[in-house]
Structure formats: structure tokens, C-alpha cells
Amino acid sequence: MARFPDIQQRIRDDILAGELVFGTRVTTAELAQRYGVSQMPIREALRELRGEGLVTMEPNRGARIRSIDPDFVGNIFDIRNALEVLMVRRAARLRTPEQVARMRAIELDLETCVQRQDYAGALLANRYLHQLISEMAANPDAQQLLDRHWLLLAGLWRENKYSPERYDGVINDHRHMIEAISDGDAEAAAILTHAHVLKAKQILLKLIEQRYGSTKPARARRARKAEPPAASADVAD
Amino acid sequence: MARFPDIQQRIRDDILAGELVFGTRVTTAELAQRYGVSQMPIREALRELRGEGLVTMEPNRGARIRSIDPDFVGNIFDIRNALEVLMVRRAARLRTPEQVARMRAIELDLETCVQRQDYAGALLANRYLHQLISEMAANPDAQQLLDRHWLLLAGLWRENKYSPERYDGVINDHRHMIEAISDGDAEAAAILTHAHVLKAKQILLKLIEQRYGSTKPARARRARKAEPPAASADVAD
DNA sequence: CAGTGGTCTAGACCACACG
DNA sequence: GTGTGGTCTAGACCACTGC
């Protein structure tokens, strides 16, 4: 039974939700039982998740869930920032009037969503906007990478409740970015985007730090031998 | 028989070598027979190659070999450039004296390899150098992405014979980059690296254009219905 | 020199596509 | 409606690890 969405998504969600505890060793057999499927789909999913950096696989020792610590999130954001800047720079050069119009439309949609407190809609519109910029840059390979990271970060935002007031800043940033792209000012667009992503990084890092308690576990890198964190993994503050 | 290196590497090589013709539809069954293995390993390999952008997979219609055209190579280089700049900037900030010493040692090795015309050794040293810079940046996720791209581009360099005289420029670039990193001058290191990768892009694109004839196929985007390119795929100029 | 865990094979199944 | 092609299951195999 349970022909739910694909395994990979479920595992990813479970990792981001802390359901699968960070640093745990997992085996294909174990997960196969957990999700009621055979080993092969698990194997596949683990490979792709390794591609996303969520698990590490050592040759004959099983896979290990990657810890979602500030380091990891910071790294992901740095990558995303580099790529997003690359993309917006090209988008500013290649833009067509139609595309600019679509950007404006999406942004308007986002803003009305925020006004009526439809934050799910806003998140979606936000994603569309960034996707459109990616498309405009005509680099499908980079776009693919960004999509992957988006999925990952979306999971984290979901876990660490997004504070609605942040949208004020987001909207303001977007308007300026769109203007720069519309003007074909690649340099301005690049800098604005850089700042935009940097802000998101700051916020998410702060949220994560709060979530894992003020007892910064960042330095507590001692725990090499990985005592399994005592079953109860409910990090709900 | 034939317990050769893993399937994925073989398929990738065959694609880059033009053995598997660009734009061709391939099925798992077909490739399974070709390489004398079962469908599952093929499936896995195709998925990972999709992650690298070498094949595209449409739901129930089989996979298709991605065309290695100037667009593709340019995209890959742009991504690599963005990431490499990110990395070198961090490396310049985080460097330790030991690491700087190792960089110098590797560079020296590279230069002696070039002098004695050991270009294979030079290529390897070159890779080590870039890997070291990646390590110094302490962003294993970005490093993983760069590694993937390196493998891909290495295959292309192999196919399109590398002109040895290019190393003069490479060596000069490296020396300046190392100096900037040693000084902790992130901005200089970033710009130098940016230029360094840009040069590589120019050169490889030129080589590829030559290879595929001066009859720029770039604009010939007509061929949607994909007439299979008449068996003979020997693009050897 | 066991045990554990990843990888492969063969075959069945099932969904979509195309005539 | 038929065929093609992807996906899954079950089980066997084999390498490496750790006693």
C-alpha cells in the first residue's frame, strides 16, 4: 500500500524534518523496511540525495545522514548565491520585453498574496520569479542546480517557520532587481541579487541557530563516535 | 567478462568521444546489451549522467544524449567560473601557511612536468592545485560540484587535443593566483581566477568549433525531428 | 573468518504512447 | 489495443570490515 510520492522526496523531507537523525548510519535494508519498498529504490534515492549533499556514502560502511548545521546551510547558500548572480547577470543582458512583463506580473501576484496573508501562494510566486530569471539566463544546467537547492532550502524554510514580516524586505529587493534587469543593467542586478540572497542566508541561519538552542552545537564537534541522540529527536523548541 | 571501470565512466567517455551520437535516443535495454550488464546499472548511470547534464530523460520516452555544442560547454564553464571564484575568494581568507606551501609545491611540480613535456603529469598537477584550493575553501558541497565538472571537461580536453603552448599562460596565471591567495587578497584572487577560467573557456570553445567544422552548426537549430546522423559519426577532423 | 551491507541479475509488472 | 520502455521485487553474490 501507500503509493505515496516518490521515495526520494519522502526521505529528504524526513531528513530536513529531523525525523532521520543527523549523523545516523542508515542502511538500504533498514530504509527499505521503513518505507515498505525494496532495496533498489532506496539505493537510487540515496545516490541522488548524495548528489544534493544530504547524505554521504562511504564505500562499504553504509550511508550517513548529513548534519544540517549552520556550516552546511551556509555552504548551500554560498553556492546558490554564486549561481544566482551568474544567472541574473545574463538575464539582464538577454531579457526580452515579454519576459520583463511576465516578471512584473509575477511580482505583482506575489505582493497581493502577501497582502492577503497567503504565504503559501507568496512562496510559490517567489519561486516562479526566480525560475523565470533562471530561464531568461538560458543556462539550463545552472538552472537545474538551482532547482535542486531550492527544493532543499524550501524544506528548511518549512521546518523553521518563516516570519511573514520578512516579505517587506523581499518585495523591496525584488522591485529593484526587476528594474535593473529591465534596464539591462547587469552589474546592478548582480549586486542587488547578491545582497538579496545574503539576507536570506542571514535569516535562515538565525532561525536554525534558535531552533537548535542557544547552546551552539557548532563548536561541539567532539561527538565523533556518534552516540545515537537518545531516540527522542523532537527538536521542536 | 570485462570487469572494467564502472559503467557510468564508460558511458560518459563514449558520449564525449562521440561514440554515442549526440541527440540519439537510447534505451536502458539497448545500453544494457551494449555493455553486457543488466538494466539496473544502466539506469543508475543514466540518472547520474542526467545530473551532469549529459543526458536528458523524458518520462516514458527514453533518454536522449545531450549535444555537446558550444552552448553546453559555455554553460558548464560559466558555472565552473562562478564556483571557482567563490572558492578562491574563501581560500584566500582561510589559507594557512602550510596550505600555501603545498600550493607552491604543486605548482612547482606542474612546471617541471611541463618542462619535461609530461603533459599527462601536468594535467594531473593542475587538477591537484585546483582541488587544493577547493579544500581550502572548506565548502565540500561546492567542491563536489566542481569535481563533477572537472571530470566532464577533462573528457573534452582529452578529445580535443590540448595545445601544449597554452601552459605558458596557465603557469603565469597560477603564479599570480597563488601570490594573491598567499597575501590573503581575496579580491585579486577572485579576479585572477575569473580571467583564468575565462581563458580556458575561450580556448576549448575554439577547439570545439574547429572540430565540428567551420560550418557553424550552432545556428542550424532546425533539425528538430532528428534525422539520425547517418551512422558514420567519426568527427575526427 | 564470520557478518554485514552494497551491487547485480532475471523476470514480472505497469504506464504511457502511438497506430 | 498493442508494444515499448521504465520501474520494482526477490534473491544471489561478493567485497570489505572488524572481531
Side-chain angles (χ1 to χ4, degrees):
Chain A
M1 295 107 212
R3 269 288 146 277
F4 276 92
D6 62 330
I7 302 296
Q8 189 180 333
Q9 184 59 37
R10 292 179 65 190
I11 297 181
R12 176 169 36 231
D13 283 346
D14 284 352
I15 292 176
L16 294 174
E19 198 89 8
L20 288 172
V21 187
F22 310 144
T24 312
R25 277 247 170 74
V26 290
T27 69
T28 53
E30 196 178 332
L31 292 176
Q33 190 179 3
R34 190 181 206 280
Y35 295 106
V37 294
S38 188
Q39 295 198 0
M40 291 299 302
I42 300 293
R43 173 175 147 70
E44 296 245 314
L46 284 183
R47 278 224 184 173
E48 294 231 352
L49 291 173
R50 182 190 55 146
E52 294 180 13
L54 278 180
V55 306
T56 60
M57 296 169 79
E58 301 149 275
N60 270 303
R61 318 268 255 77
R64 173 171 292 225
I65 308 293
R66 167 89 180 254
S67 157
I68 310 288
D69 53 18
D71 281 352
F72 175 70
V73 176
N75 287 344
I76 296 297
F77 261 107
D78 288 347
I79 295 172
R80 191 181 142 212
N81 209 333
L83 293 178
E84 203 113 44
V85 167
L86 163 69
M87 298 300 257
V88 82
R89 194 173 259 133
R90 292 199 60 181
R93 266 196 294 122
L94 301 177
R95 93 240 106 112
T96 68
E98 290 78 18
Q99 288 169 329
V100 172
R102 277 180 60 203
M103 284 179 64
R104 290 219 161 86
I106 295 176
E107 173 63 13
L108 193 66
D109 182 40
L110 189 158
E111 296 184 9
T112 55
C113 278
V114 170
Q115 270 180 1
R116 67 173 68 132
Q117 308 202 350
D118 170 13
Y119 295 116
L123 198 61
L124 203 59
N126 190 23
R127 175 166 193 190
Y128 285 149
L129 183 61
H130 285 268
Q131 269 180 342
L132 176 54
I133 293 176
S134 286
E135 273 175 40
M136 291 166 67
N139 185 336
D141 304 284
Q143 189 175 1
Q144 193 182 352
L145 291 179
L146 279 174
D147 267 356
R148 263 218 304 248
H149 286 164
W150 188 279
L151 224 59
L152 214 158
L153 292 176
L156 282 177
W157 285 120
R158 197 156 9 99
E159 292 305 320
N160 301 274
K161 283 305 172 225
Y162 198 84
S163 47
E165 66 271 22
R166 197 205 142 206
Y167 270 112
D168 295 344
V170 169
I171 288 174
N172 189 268
D173 286 355
H174 282 176
R175 287 183 181 171
H176 284 278
M177 285 160 59
I178 292 175
E179 225 42 49
I181 294 172
S182 168
D183 293 347
D185 188 343
E187 222 39 57
I191 292 175
L192 289 168
T193 301
H194 196 71
H196 183 61
V197 178
L198 220 58
K199 289 182 184 177
K201 177 182 172 183
Q202 279 185 342
I203 294 176
L204 188 51
L205 278 180
K206 193 81 78 183
L207 285 176
I208 288 182
E209 259 175 38
Q210 285 175 6
R211 178 182 178 191
Y212 293 124
S214 36
T215 74
K216 286 198 181 182
R219 268 293 144 255
R221 219 27 103 53
R222 290 288 97 185
R224 285 299 280 264
K225 207 40 180 156
E227 40 174 6
S232 156
D234 51 355
V235 278
D237 61 314
Chain B
M1 291 105 212
R3 269 288 148 275
F4 276 93
D6 62 331
I7 301 296
Q8 188 178 334
Q9 185 58 37
R10 291 180 66 191
I11 297 182
R12 175 169 35 230
D13 283 346
D14 284 352
I15 293 177
L16 294 174
E19 198 88 9
L20 288 172
V21 187
F22 311 145
T24 311
R25 277 249 169 74
V26 290
T27 70
T28 54
E30 195 178 334
L31 292 175
Q33 190 181 2
R34 190 182 206 279
Y35 296 105
V37 294
S38 187
Q39 295 199 0
M40 291 300 302
I42 299 292
R43 175 173 144 70
E44 296 244 314
L46 284 182
R47 278 225 184 174
E48 294 231 352
L49 291 173
R50 182 188 56 144
E52 294 181 13
L54 279 179
V55 306
T56 61
M57 296 169 77
E58 302 149 273
N60 269 303
R61 319 266 255 84
R64 172 171 294 224
I65 308 293
R66 168 91 181 254
S67 157
I68 311 288
D69 53 18
D71 281 352
F72 176 70
V73 175
N75 286 345
I76 296 297
F77 261 107
D78 287 347
I79 295 172
R80 190 180 143 212
N81 210 333
L83 293 178
E84 203 114 44
V85 167
L86 163 69
M87 299 299 257
V88 83
R89 195 175 256 132
R90 292 200 59 181
R93 268 198 292 121
L94 302 176
R95 95 236 103 115
T96 68
E98 291 78 20
Q99 288 169 331
V100 172
R102 276 180 61 204
M103 285 180 63
R104 291 221 161 86
I106 294 177
E107 172 63 14
L108 193 67
D109 182 39
L110 190 159
E111 297 185 9
T112 54
C113 278
V114 170
Q115 270 180 0
R116 67 173 67 130
Q117 308 203 347
D118 171 14
Y119 295 115
L123 198 62
L124 202 61
N126 190 22
R127 175 166 194 189
Y128 285 150
L129 183 62
H130 285 268
Q131 270 181 339
L132 176 56
I133 293 176
S134 285
E135 273 175 41
M136 291 165 68
N139 185 335
D141 303 283
Q143 190 175 359
Q144 194 182 349
L145 291 180
L146 278 175
D147 268 356
R148 260 216 308 246
H149 285 163
W150 187 278
L151 226 57
L152 215 158
L153 292 177
L156 282 179
W157 285 120
R158 198 158 7 99
E159 292 304 322
N160 301 274
K161 284 308 174 222
Y162 198 84
S163 47
E165 65 271 23
R166 195 202 145 208
Y167 270 113
D168 295 345
V170 169
I171 289 174
N172 189 267
D173 286 355
H174 282 175
R175 287 184 181 170
H176 284 279
M177 285 160 59
I178 292 175
E179 225 43 49
I181 294 173
S182 167
D183 292 347
D185 187 345
E187 221 40 55
I191 292 176
L192 289 169
T193 301
H194 196 71
H196 183 60
V197 178
L198 220 57
K199 289 183 185 177
K201 178 182 171 184
Q202 280 184 341
I203 291 176
L204 189 51
L205 277 180
K206 192 80 77 180
L207 285 176
I208 287 181
E209 258 175 41
Q210 284 175 7
R211 180 182 177 189
Y212 293 124
S214 37
T215 75
K216 284 197 180 183
R219 268 294 146 255
R221 226 15 114 49
R222 292 287 98 187
R224 285 303 277 266
K225 207 39 179 162
E227 40 174 8
S232 155
D234 51 355
V235 278
D237 61 314

